[in-house]
Amino acid sequence: MSTQPLDLRAVLAGFDAPWSPRIVTTVNDYDIRLARFSGEHVWHKHDNTDEFFLVLDGSIEIGLREADGERTVTLTREQAFVVPRGTFHKPSSKEGAVVLLVEPSGTLSVGDEHEEVPDTVDVTVGHRV
């Protein structure tokens, strides 16, 4: 863990791949990840953890499969949302976005259960910067 301030602009300048999160720091047992969203991710769920999304730039949609059907949550800049554990969800961004994610260290980007992963999605636990 660094004892210096984090420059998120510098982190963003270091990568342009969508759906390939960068771990900017760790707080206790949680990774703080920075990711670019563009196009569609994959339907997936995390069995044992919630997933926190904070949109820093752009806008995203998160499709949710819930007990009473599917719905979509739209988030714009400076809006946050938590997907509850065990909920199938599919993030996407038509125009592109920058998103800060908070998840337990070691959480796979496509969850514990997922549909077929397209080549545009990096299956990873995050890339440390």
Side-chain angles (χ1 to χ4, degrees), residues 86-106:
T87 302
F88 268 100
H89 59 287
K90 182 179 184 179
S92 64
S93 179
K94 293 175 185 152
E95 305 292 324
V98 173
V99 180
L100 186 120
L101 304 157
V102 179
E103 299 178 291
S105 297

Side-chain angles (χ1 to χ4, degrees), residues 4-93:
Q4 298 300 315
L6 297 168
D7 185 343
L8 298 183
R9 285 176 291 194
V11 174
L12 286 167
F15 77 103
D16 60 3
W19 310 120
S20 185
R22 299 311 195 251
I23 301 168
V24 295
T25 194
T26 300
V27 178
N28 297 316
D29 298 329
Y30 286 81
D31 289 339
I32 309 303
R33 300 176 183 184
L34 195 58
R36 294 184 181 277
F37 286 22
S38 182
E40 295 187 354
H41 197 267
V42 61
W43 281 104
H44 67 284
K45 70 174 182 151
H46 304 278
D47 291 331
N48 301 308
T49 185
D50 302 331
E51 185 171 11
F52 175 85
F53 294 81
L54 171 62
V55 177
L56 300 178
D57 192 31
S59 66
I60 68 171
E61 292 184 337
I62 304 173
L64 301 166
R65 290 182 180 159
E66 299 172 316
D68 56 348
E70 285 189 15
R71 72 179 174 117
T72 301
V73 172
T74 301
L75 302 175
T76 57
R77 188 174 185 206
E78 299 177 358
Q79 289 187 314
F81 185 76
V82 175
V83 174
R85 71 188 69 203
T87 302
F88 268 100
H89 59 287
K90 182 179 184 179
S92 64
S93 179

